[in-house]
Amino acid sequence: MSLKLPLTIGWRFYRQRQANGFINFISFASTSGIALGVAVLIIVLSVMNGFERELQQRLLGVTPHGELVGVNSPLQDWQSKAQSADLIPEIKGVAPFVRLQGLVQKPGGFQGIQVTGIDLAYEPKVSTIAEYMDESTWQTLAEDANNIVLGQALMQQLGLNIGDAVAMYTPQKNATRLTQAKSHRFVVTGSYKLSGEVEQTQAYVPMVYLARLLGHEGLASGIRIKVDNVLQAQSVIRELGYAQSEYVYMNDWTRTQGHLYSDIQLVRVVMYLVLALVIAVACFNIVSTLVMAVRDKASEVAILMTMGLQRFSIMAIFMLQGALNGLSGCAIGGVVGVVIAQNLSAIAKAIESAFGIQLLAGGIYFIDFVPTQLELRDVAFVIFMGLVMSLIATVYPAWKASKIAPAAALAGR
């Protein structure tokens, strides 16, 4: 028998559900639950995608994907190591650096700081730090002088302004007190704005000046490396490090920032499971709706069966009725979720302005706004999952409807 008749009857049953107010309420609740679960899951996945994008573009744009650092001494020939890195297709850029760690004094104590000497001719190949400071500030790092560029958060903590001098203390060998530490004086020539911990602990100086200050003129502490796929950084850095003729430390971003990526993935999985269960609960409310609908329409079903309608067609009638609830919920939730996900950053800013709050503090997180990136594959998968769950929920009530005994149903009418 053609499916046209059972589908037509199922559509009429769906439209006439308003006749029973309680069934109508349960149907509305299940549809609303599916819509809410689908919308929230699309929004959450978009936010997780946004955080992952900002991690790769912003934080990992400044943080090196990998490093080769000399063991107890600077690299003797960093140029040859850069040339060997160019032979690996996955490596997109190499830049030398000189690094110095120490303390700077602030009100109430000291602040740990890492000063990195960079060469402007190479640094843009591995870092986007120039995008977070003025051009004039960037050019001061090309001078052979004691210029230093600090994060804005660190400058505020230290109470410094452009043109002020800052002293940095580094330990000497066999030093037991801070008074025995060596002091280095720098002049603040600008600042950068990035947010997060990096802004409070990372400073930049000209590489030539810092190398000469440390007695490593013409040498480099190591090389910074940018790879094509950040998720393959560890294996690429190991491949490069093992190819070297001298001992080097091999570092990659997963050691310093890997916890952020792991946290994002963990939250994505947990939220996905939780919201998938929410959708599942809403979908199985369809079971209650259809069970009551089957009892309400038992006599009509019995009449149809006596007229020759097959049991498979009876199942199709009620499966369609339940599937329409799921389809309505998925469609509404999909539209709402897509609209909110695309405008979530603006909505978050409006909430911050209206209530005078800050959802993400720049001093704590590596971004100070709510990111979002809508992926069509996420939308399609969430809607598909909702439709499948809602369809599965219709099987048992529809099967029970097909088992109605026509004589008993008509006798009890």
PDB file of all heavy atoms in Angstrom, residues 124-159:
ATOM      1  N   PRO A 124      58.633  38.497  12.312  1.00  0.00           N
ATOM      2  CA  PRO A 124      57.302  38.371  11.680  1.00  0.00           C
ATOM      3  C   PRO A 124      57.048  37.011  11.041  1.00  0.00           C
ATOM      4  O   PRO A 124      55.900  36.667  10.771  1.00  0.00           O
ATOM      5  CB  PRO A 124      57.326  39.485  10.617  1.00  0.00           C
ATOM      6  CG  PRO A 124      58.287  40.494  11.135  1.00  0.00           C
ATOM      7  CD  PRO A 124      59.350  39.696  11.811  1.00  0.00           C
ATOM      8  N   LYS A 125      58.108  36.220  10.803  1.00  0.00           N
ATOM      9  CA  LYS A 125      57.919  34.896  10.219  1.00  0.00           C
ATOM     10  C   LYS A 125      57.322  33.897  11.213  1.00  0.00           C
ATOM     11  O   LYS A 125      56.726  32.896  10.807  1.00  0.00           O
ATOM     12  CB  LYS A 125      59.257  34.346   9.714  1.00  0.00           C
ATOM     13  CG  LYS A 125      59.892  35.177   8.602  1.00  0.00           C
ATOM     14  CD  LYS A 125      61.221  34.577   8.168  1.00  0.00           C
ATOM     15  CE  LYS A 125      61.875  35.389   7.061  1.00  0.00           C
ATOM     16  NZ  LYS A 125      63.177  34.816   6.640  1.00  0.00           N
ATOM     17  N   VAL A 126      57.481  34.187  12.520  1.00  0.00           N
ATOM     18  CA  VAL A 126      57.027  33.229  13.531  1.00  0.00           C
ATOM     19  C   VAL A 126      56.037  33.829  14.521  1.00  0.00           C
ATOM     20  O   VAL A 126      55.452  33.099  15.325  1.00  0.00           O
ATOM     21  CB  VAL A 126      58.238  32.660  14.314  1.00  0.00           C
ATOM     22  CG1 VAL A 126      59.183  31.924  13.383  1.00  0.00           C
ATOM     23  CG2 VAL A 126      58.975  33.755  15.075  1.00  0.00           C
ATOM     24  N   SER A 127      55.846  35.138  14.507  1.00  0.00           N
ATOM     25  CA  SER A 127      55.025  35.777  15.534  1.00  0.00           C
ATOM     26  C   SER A 127      54.215  36.925  14.940  1.00  0.00           C
ATOM     27  O   SER A 127      54.646  37.590  13.990  1.00  0.00           O
ATOM     28  CB  SER A 127      55.906  36.303  16.670  1.00  0.00           C
ATOM     29  OG  SER A 127      55.150  37.058  17.599  1.00  0.00           O
ATOM     30  N   THR A 128      53.043  37.154  15.534  1.00  0.00           N
ATOM     31  CA  THR A 128      52.184  38.273  15.134  1.00  0.00           C
ATOM     32  C   THR A 128      52.190  39.372  16.189  1.00  0.00           C
ATOM     33  O   THR A 128      51.268  40.180  16.240  1.00  0.00           O
ATOM     34  CB  THR A 128      50.744  37.779  14.915  1.00  0.00           C
ATOM     35  OG1 THR A 128      50.242  37.189  16.135  1.00  0.00           O
ATOM     36  CG2 THR A 128      50.690  36.759  13.793  1.00  0.00           C
ATOM     37  N   ILE A 129      53.204  39.418  17.039  1.00  0.00           N
ATOM     38  CA  ILE A 129      53.236  40.393  18.129  1.00  0.00           C
ATOM     39  C   ILE A 129      53.202  41.823  17.605  1.00  0.00           C
ATOM     40  O   ILE A 129      52.691  42.728  18.286  1.00  0.00           O
ATOM     41  CB  ILE A 129      54.498  40.168  19.015  1.00  0.00           C
ATOM     42  CG1 ILE A 129      54.442  41.060  20.269  1.00  0.00           C
ATOM     43  CG2 ILE A 129      55.765  40.405  18.213  1.00  0.00           C
ATOM     44  CD1 ILE A 129      53.273  40.790  21.157  1.00  0.00           C
ATOM     45  N   ALA A 130      53.691  42.061  16.384  1.00  0.00           N
ATOM     46  CA  ALA A 130      53.690  43.414  15.822  1.00  0.00           C
ATOM     47  C   ALA A 130      52.277  43.950  15.648  1.00  0.00           C
ATOM     48  O   ALA A 130      52.065  45.172  15.648  1.00  0.00           O
ATOM     49  CB  ALA A 130      54.424  43.427  14.476  1.00  0.00           C
ATOM     50  N   GLU A 131      51.288  43.056  15.524  1.00  0.00           N
ATOM     51  CA  GLU A 131      49.907  43.487  15.342  1.00  0.00           C
ATOM     52  C   GLU A 131      49.303  44.051  16.612  1.00  0.00           C
ATOM     53  O   GLU A 131      48.250  44.697  16.560  1.00  0.00           O
ATOM     54  CB  GLU A 131      49.058  42.307  14.853  1.00  0.00           C
ATOM     55  CG  GLU A 131      49.507  41.735  13.511  1.00  0.00           C
ATOM     56  CD  GLU A 131      48.680  40.530  13.104  1.00  0.00           C
ATOM     57  OE1 GLU A 131      47.692  40.230  13.830  1.00  0.00           O
ATOM     58  OE2 GLU A 131      49.019  39.892  12.088  1.00  0.00           O
ATOM     59  N   TYR A 132      49.944  43.834  17.752  1.00  0.00           N
ATOM     60  CA  TYR A 132      49.384  44.248  19.032  1.00  0.00           C
ATOM     61  C   TYR A 132      50.124  45.448  19.630  1.00  0.00           C
ATOM     62  O   TYR A 132      49.981  45.729  20.814  1.00  0.00           O
ATOM     63  CB  TYR A 132      49.405  43.068  20.013  1.00  0.00           C
ATOM     64  CG  TYR A 132      48.643  41.878  19.483  1.00  0.00           C
ATOM     65  CD1 TYR A 132      49.302  40.821  18.872  1.00  0.00           C
ATOM     66  CD2 TYR A 132      47.255  41.835  19.565  1.00  0.00           C
ATOM     67  CE1 TYR A 132      48.603  39.738  18.359  1.00  0.00           C
ATOM     68  CE2 TYR A 132      46.545  40.756  19.065  1.00  0.00           C
ATOM     69  CZ  TYR A 132      47.223  39.714  18.466  1.00  0.00           C
ATOM     70  OH  TYR A 132      46.521  38.640  17.959  1.00  0.00           O
ATOM     71  N   MET A 133      50.907  46.123  18.803  1.00  0.00           N
ATOM     72  CA  MET A 133      51.586  47.338  19.245  1.00  0.00           C
ATOM     73  C   MET A 133      51.648  48.330  18.091  1.00  0.00           C
ATOM     74  O   MET A 133      51.439  47.965  16.925  1.00  0.00           O
ATOM     75  CB  MET A 133      52.996  47.018  19.764  1.00  0.00           C
ATOM     76  CG  MET A 133      53.946  46.465  18.706  1.00  0.00           C
ATOM     77  SD  MET A 133      55.618  46.123  19.345  1.00  0.00           S
ATOM     78  CE  MET A 133      55.327  44.665  20.365  1.00  0.00           C
ATOM     79  N   ASP A 134      51.907  49.580  18.412  1.00  0.00           N
ATOM     80  CA  ASP A 134      52.023  50.615  17.383  1.00  0.00           C
ATOM     81  C   ASP A 134      53.256  50.372  16.514  1.00  0.00           C
ATOM     82  O   ASP A 134      54.240  49.763  16.950  1.00  0.00           O
ATOM     83  CB  ASP A 134      52.110  52.001  18.027  1.00  0.00           C
ATOM     84  CG  ASP A 134      50.845  52.361  18.793  1.00  0.00           C
ATOM     85  OD1 ASP A 134      49.782  51.804  18.447  1.00  0.00           O
ATOM     86  OD2 ASP A 134      50.926  53.164  19.737  1.00  0.00           O
ATOM     87  N   GLU A 135      53.208  50.906  15.290  1.00  0.00           N
ATOM     88  CA  GLU A 135      54.341  50.774  14.387  1.00  0.00           C
ATOM     89  C   GLU A 135      55.577  51.456  14.947  1.00  0.00           C
ATOM     90  O   GLU A 135      56.698  50.938  14.832  1.00  0.00           O
ATOM     91  CB  GLU A 135      53.980  51.372  13.021  1.00  0.00           C
ATOM     92  CG  GLU A 135      55.111  51.336  11.996  1.00  0.00           C
ATOM     93  CD  GLU A 135      55.535  49.932  11.621  1.00  0.00           C
ATOM     94  OE1 GLU A 135      54.720  48.991  11.782  1.00  0.00           O
ATOM     95  OE2 GLU A 135      56.685  49.761  11.178  1.00  0.00           O
ATOM     96  N   SER A 136      55.390  52.611  15.579  1.00  0.00           N
ATOM     97  CA  SER A 136      56.540  53.327  16.163  1.00  0.00           C
ATOM     98  C   SER A 136      57.159  52.523  17.296  1.00  0.00           C
ATOM     99  O   SER A 136      58.391  52.483  17.450  1.00  0.00           O
ATOM    100  CB  SER A 136      56.094  54.696  16.677  1.00  0.00           C
ATOM    101  OG  SER A 136      55.058  54.561  17.638  1.00  0.00           O
ATOM    102  N   THR A 137      56.319  51.856  18.089  1.00  0.00           N
ATOM    103  CA  THR A 137      56.831  51.006  19.166  1.00  0.00           C
ATOM    104  C   THR A 137      57.604  49.824  18.593  1.00  0.00           C
ATOM    105  O   THR A 137      58.677  49.463  19.082  1.00  0.00           O
ATOM    106  CB  THR A 137      55.668  50.499  20.035  1.00  0.00           C
ATOM    107  OG1 THR A 137      54.983  51.610  20.612  1.00  0.00           O
ATOM    108  CG2 THR A 137      56.169  49.587  21.139  1.00  0.00           C
ATOM    109  N   TRP A 138      57.068  49.236  17.538  1.00  0.00           N
ATOM    110  CA  TRP A 138      57.722  48.100  16.896  1.00  0.00           C
ATOM    111  C   TRP A 138      59.095  48.482  16.365  1.00  0.00           C
ATOM    112  O   TRP A 138      60.062  47.719  16.506  1.00  0.00           O
ATOM    113  CB  TRP A 138      56.823  47.571  15.787  1.00  0.00           C
ATOM    114  CG  TRP A 138      57.400  46.487  14.929  1.00  0.00           C
ATOM    115  CD1 TRP A 138      57.798  46.578  13.639  1.00  0.00           C
ATOM    116  CD2 TRP A 138      57.648  45.131  15.308  1.00  0.00           C
ATOM    117  NE1 TRP A 138      58.260  45.383  13.176  1.00  0.00           N
ATOM    118  CE2 TRP A 138      58.184  44.460  14.175  1.00  0.00           C
ATOM    119  CE3 TRP A 138      57.459  44.406  16.487  1.00  0.00           C
ATOM    120  CZ2 TRP A 138      58.531  43.113  14.203  1.00  0.00           C
ATOM    121  CZ3 TRP A 138      57.813  43.054  16.510  1.00  0.00           C
ATOM    122  CH2 TRP A 138      58.340  42.428  15.379  1.00  0.00           C
ATOM    123  N   GLN A 139      59.218  49.660  15.789  1.00  0.00           N
ATOM    124  CA  GLN A 139      60.479  50.086  15.201  1.00  0.00           C
ATOM    125  C   GLN A 139      61.551  50.365  16.253  1.00  0.00           C
ATOM    126  O   GLN A 139      62.740  50.313  15.950  1.00  0.00           O
ATOM    127  CB  GLN A 139      60.258  51.332  14.332  1.00  0.00           C
ATOM    128  CG  GLN A 139      59.461  51.055  13.063  1.00  0.00           C
ATOM    129  CD  GLN A 139      60.100  49.998  12.178  1.00  0.00           C
ATOM    130  OE1 GLN A 139      61.327  49.912  12.080  1.00  0.00           O
ATOM    131  NE2 GLN A 139      59.270  49.170  11.549  1.00  0.00           N
ATOM    132  N   THR A 140      61.143  50.660  17.493  1.00  0.00           N
ATOM    133  CA  THR A 140      62.150  50.878  18.545  1.00  0.00           C
ATOM    134  C   THR A 140      62.925  49.596  18.847  1.00  0.00           C
ATOM    135  O   THR A 140      64.034  49.658  19.388  1.00  0.00           O
ATOM    136  CB  THR A 140      61.493  51.389  19.833  1.00  0.00           C
ATOM    137  OG1 THR A 140      60.556  50.404  20.325  1.00  0.00           O
ATOM    138  CG2 THR A 140      60.774  52.700  19.604  1.00  0.00           C
ATOM    139  N   LEU A 141      62.348  48.445  18.505  1.00  0.00           N
ATOM    140  CA  LEU A 141      63.031  47.171  18.740  1.00  0.00           C
ATOM    141  C   LEU A 141      64.077  46.876  17.673  1.00  0.00           C
ATOM    142  O   LEU A 141      64.783  45.879  17.765  1.00  0.00           O
ATOM    143  CB  LEU A 141      62.011  46.029  18.794  1.00  0.00           C
ATOM    144  CG  LEU A 141      60.987  46.115  19.928  1.00  0.00           C
ATOM    145  CD1 LEU A 141      59.974  44.994  19.825  1.00  0.00           C
ATOM    146  CD2 LEU A 141      61.689  46.067  21.283  1.00  0.00           C
ATOM    147  N   ALA A 142      64.165  47.752  16.660  1.00  0.00           N
ATOM    148  CA  ALA A 142      65.200  47.592  15.636  1.00  0.00           C
ATOM    149  C   ALA A 142      66.475  48.317  16.023  1.00  0.00           C
ATOM    150  O   ALA A 142      67.516  48.126  15.381  1.00  0.00           O
ATOM    151  CB  ALA A 142      64.686  48.104  14.289  1.00  0.00           C
ATOM    152  N   GLU A 143      66.409  49.161  17.039  1.00  0.00           N
ATOM    153  CA  GLU A 143      67.576  49.946  17.447  1.00  0.00           C
ATOM    154  C   GLU A 143      68.494  49.129  18.341  1.00  0.00           C
ATOM    155  O   GLU A 143      68.050  48.262  19.093  1.00  0.00           O
ATOM    156  CB  GLU A 143      67.106  51.211  18.181  1.00  0.00           C
ATOM    157  CG  GLU A 143      66.161  52.080  17.364  1.00  0.00           C
ATOM    158  CD  GLU A 143      65.570  53.213  18.184  1.00  0.00           C
ATOM    159  OE1 GLU A 143      65.969  53.347  19.360  1.00  0.00           O
ATOM    160  OE2 GLU A 143      64.708  53.941  17.658  1.00  0.00           O
ATOM    161  N   ASP A 144      69.774  49.429  18.272  1.00  0.00           N
ATOM    162  CA  ASP A 144      70.757  48.784  19.150  1.00  0.00           C
ATOM    163  C   ASP A 144      70.847  49.597  20.431  1.00  0.00           C
ATOM    164  O   ASP A 144      71.806  50.337  20.672  1.00  0.00           O
ATOM    165  CB  ASP A 144      72.111  48.702  18.449  1.00  0.00           C
ATOM    166  CG  ASP A 144      73.134  47.928  19.273  1.00  0.00           C
ATOM    167  OD1 ASP A 144      72.767  47.422  20.355  1.00  0.00           O
ATOM    168  OD2 ASP A 144      74.295  47.848  18.844  1.00  0.00           O
ATOM    169  N   ALA A 145      69.812  49.499  21.263  1.00  0.00           N
ATOM    170  CA  ALA A 145      69.721  50.293  22.490  1.00  0.00           C
ATOM    171  C   ALA A 145      68.953  49.493  23.531  1.00  0.00           C
ATOM    172  O   ALA A 145      68.363  48.451  23.237  1.00  0.00           O
ATOM    173  CB  ALA A 145      69.031  51.631  22.205  1.00  0.00           C
ATOM    174  N   ASN A 146      68.976  50.006  24.773  1.00  0.00           N
ATOM    175  CA  ASN A 146      68.320  49.297  25.873  1.00  0.00           C
ATOM    176  C   ASN A 146      66.823  49.595  25.912  1.00  0.00           C
ATOM    177  O   ASN A 146      66.242  49.883  26.968  1.00  0.00           O
ATOM    178  CB  ASN A 146      68.970  49.649  27.205  1.00  0.00           C
ATOM    179  CG  ASN A 146      68.863  51.132  27.534  1.00  0.00           C
ATOM    180  OD1 ASN A 146      68.664  51.961  26.634  1.00  0.00           O
ATOM    181  ND2 ASN A 146      69.006  51.475  28.801  1.00  0.00           N
ATOM    182  N   ASN A 147      66.175  49.539  24.756  1.00  0.00           N
ATOM    183  CA  ASN A 147      64.726  49.752  24.674  1.00  0.00           C
ATOM    184  C   ASN A 147      63.997  48.484  25.110  1.00  0.00           C
ATOM    185  O   ASN A 147      64.471  47.364  24.864  1.00  0.00           O
ATOM    186  CB  ASN A 147      64.312  50.103  23.252  1.00  0.00           C
ATOM    187  CG  ASN A 147      64.996  51.366  22.753  1.00  0.00           C
ATOM    188  OD1 ASN A 147      65.369  52.233  23.543  1.00  0.00           O
ATOM    189  ND2 ASN A 147      65.172  51.470  21.439  1.00  0.00           N
ATOM    190  N   ILE A 148      62.835  48.666  25.727  1.00  0.00           N
ATOM    191  CA  ILE A 148      62.029  47.525  26.140  1.00  0.00           C
ATOM    192  C   ILE A 148      60.552  47.840  25.909  1.00  0.00           C
ATOM    193  O   ILE A 148      60.109  48.968  26.119  1.00  0.00           O
ATOM    194  CB  ILE A 148      62.279  47.163  27.628  1.00  0.00           C
ATOM    195  CG1 ILE A 148      61.587  45.830  27.968  1.00  0.00           C
ATOM    196  CG2 ILE A 148      61.825  48.268  28.555  1.00  0.00           C
ATOM    197  CD1 ILE A 148      61.981  45.279  29.327  1.00  0.00           C
ATOM    198  N   VAL A 149      59.822  46.844  25.443  1.00  0.00           N
ATOM    199  CA  VAL A 149      58.379  46.962  25.218  1.00  0.00           C
ATOM    200  C   VAL A 149      57.686  46.003  26.179  1.00  0.00           C
ATOM    201  O   VAL A 149      57.944  44.794  26.146  1.00  0.00           O
ATOM    202  CB  VAL A 149      58.007  46.633  23.762  1.00  0.00           C
ATOM    203  CG1 VAL A 149      56.492  46.660  23.579  1.00  0.00           C
ATOM    204  CG2 VAL A 149      58.679  47.612  22.812  1.00  0.00           C
ATOM    205  N   LEU A 150      56.820  46.542  27.017  1.00  0.00           N
ATOM    206  CA  LEU A 150      56.124  45.756  28.029  1.00  0.00           C
ATOM    207  C   LEU A 150      54.652  45.623  27.684  1.00  0.00           C
ATOM    208  O   LEU A 150      54.095  46.414  26.917  1.00  0.00           O
ATOM    209  CB  LEU A 150      56.253  46.420  29.410  1.00  0.00           C
ATOM    210  CG  LEU A 150      57.661  46.701  29.920  1.00  0.00           C
ATOM    211  CD1 LEU A 150      57.589  47.505  31.220  1.00  0.00           C
ATOM    212  CD2 LEU A 150      58.407  45.402  30.159  1.00  0.00           C
ATOM    213  N   GLY A 151      53.998  44.625  28.284  1.00  0.00           N
ATOM    214  CA  GLY A 151      52.554  44.512  28.180  1.00  0.00           C
ATOM    215  C   GLY A 151      51.887  45.619  28.971  1.00  0.00           C
ATOM    216  O   GLY A 151      52.409  46.070  30.008  1.00  0.00           O
ATOM    217  N   GLN A 152      50.736  46.071  28.511  1.00  0.00           N
ATOM    218  CA  GLN A 152      50.043  47.159  29.201  1.00  0.00           C
ATOM    219  C   GLN A 152      49.685  46.785  30.629  1.00  0.00           C
ATOM    220  O   GLN A 152      49.770  47.620  31.534  1.00  0.00           O
ATOM    221  CB  GLN A 152      48.781  47.541  28.424  1.00  0.00           C
ATOM    222  CG  GLN A 152      49.055  48.254  27.114  1.00  0.00           C
ATOM    223  CD  GLN A 152      47.788  48.752  26.452  1.00  0.00           C
ATOM    224  OE1 GLN A 152      46.716  48.752  27.059  1.00  0.00           O
ATOM    225  NE2 GLN A 152      47.896  49.182  25.201  1.00  0.00           N
ATOM    226  N   ALA A 153      49.286  45.535  30.861  1.00  0.00           N
ATOM    227  CA  ALA A 153      48.940  45.096  32.213  1.00  0.00           C
ATOM    228  C   ALA A 153      50.152  45.181  33.139  1.00  0.00           C
ATOM    229  O   ALA A 153      50.041  45.613  34.291  1.00  0.00           O
ATOM    230  CB  ALA A 153      48.389  43.682  32.183  1.00  0.00           C
ATOM    231  N   LEU A 154      51.330  44.783  32.646  1.00  0.00           N
ATOM    232  CA  LEU A 154      52.544  44.847  33.454  1.00  0.00           C
ATOM    233  C   LEU A 154      52.939  46.302  33.724  1.00  0.00           C
ATOM    234  O   LEU A 154      53.352  46.634  34.840  1.00  0.00           O
ATOM    235  CB  LEU A 154      53.682  44.107  32.755  1.00  0.00           C
ATOM    236  CG  LEU A 154      55.018  44.062  33.498  1.00  0.00           C
ATOM    237  CD1 LEU A 154      54.847  43.406  34.863  1.00  0.00           C
ATOM    238  CD2 LEU A 154      56.061  43.321  32.677  1.00  0.00           C
ATOM    239  N   MET A 155      52.787  47.169  32.727  1.00  0.00           N
ATOM    240  CA  MET A 155      53.100  48.580  32.934  1.00  0.00           C
ATOM    241  C   MET A 155      52.214  49.185  34.008  1.00  0.00           C
ATOM    242  O   MET A 155      52.668  49.979  34.837  1.00  0.00           O
ATOM    243  CB  MET A 155      52.943  49.349  31.621  1.00  0.00           C
ATOM    244  CG  MET A 155      54.040  49.104  30.616  1.00  0.00           C
ATOM    245  SD  MET A 155      53.902  50.150  29.143  1.00  0.00           S
ATOM    246  CE  MET A 155      54.088  51.783  29.848  1.00  0.00           C
ATOM    247  N   GLN A 156      50.947  48.809  34.037  1.00  0.00           N
ATOM    248  CA  GLN A 156      50.044  49.321  35.065  1.00  0.00           C
ATOM    249  C   GLN A 156      50.417  48.797  36.439  1.00  0.00           C
ATOM    250  O   GLN A 156      50.369  49.537  37.432  1.00  0.00           O
ATOM    251  CB  GLN A 156      48.602  48.938  34.723  1.00  0.00           C
ATOM    252  CG  GLN A 156      48.064  49.619  33.468  1.00  0.00           C
ATOM    253  CD  GLN A 156      46.678  49.140  33.097  1.00  0.00           C
ATOM    254  OE1 GLN A 156      46.091  48.281  33.765  1.00  0.00           O
ATOM    255  NE2 GLN A 156      46.129  49.680  32.009  1.00  0.00           N
ATOM    256  N   GLN A 157      50.811  47.537  36.526  1.00  0.00           N
ATOM    257  CA  GLN A 157      51.232  46.980  37.807  1.00  0.00           C
ATOM    258  C   GLN A 157      52.477  47.672  38.341  1.00  0.00           C
ATOM    259  O   GLN A 157      52.607  47.916  39.546  1.00  0.00           O
ATOM    260  CB  GLN A 157      51.497  45.483  37.664  1.00  0.00           C
ATOM    261  CG  GLN A 157      50.255  44.638  37.457  1.00  0.00           C
ATOM    262  CD  GLN A 157      50.589  43.158  37.381  1.00  0.00           C
ATOM    263  OE1 GLN A 157      51.726  42.744  37.650  1.00  0.00           O
ATOM    264  NE2 GLN A 157      49.619  42.349  37.002  1.00  0.00           N
ATOM    265  N   LEU A 158      53.397  47.986  37.438  1.00  0.00           N
ATOM    266  CA  LEU A 158      54.651  48.614  37.846  1.00  0.00           C
ATOM    267  C   LEU A 158      54.537  50.121  37.960  1.00  0.00           C
ATOM    268  O   LEU A 158      55.467  50.782  38.443  1.00  0.00           O
ATOM    269  CB  LEU A 158      55.763  48.262  36.850  1.00  0.00           C
ATOM    270  CG  LEU A 158      56.058  46.766  36.648  1.00  0.00           C
ATOM    271  CD1 LEU A 158      57.152  46.567  35.616  1.00  0.00           C
ATOM    272  CD2 LEU A 158      56.448  46.123  37.967  1.00  0.00           C
ATOM    273  N   GLY A 159      53.425  50.688  37.495  1.00  0.00           N
ATOM    274  CA  GLY A 159      53.245  52.137  37.538  1.00  0.00           C
ATOM    275  C   GLY A 159      54.191  52.874  36.609  1.00  0.00           C
ATOM    276  O   GLY A 159      54.684  53.952  36.940  1.00  0.00           O
TER     277      GLY A 159
END
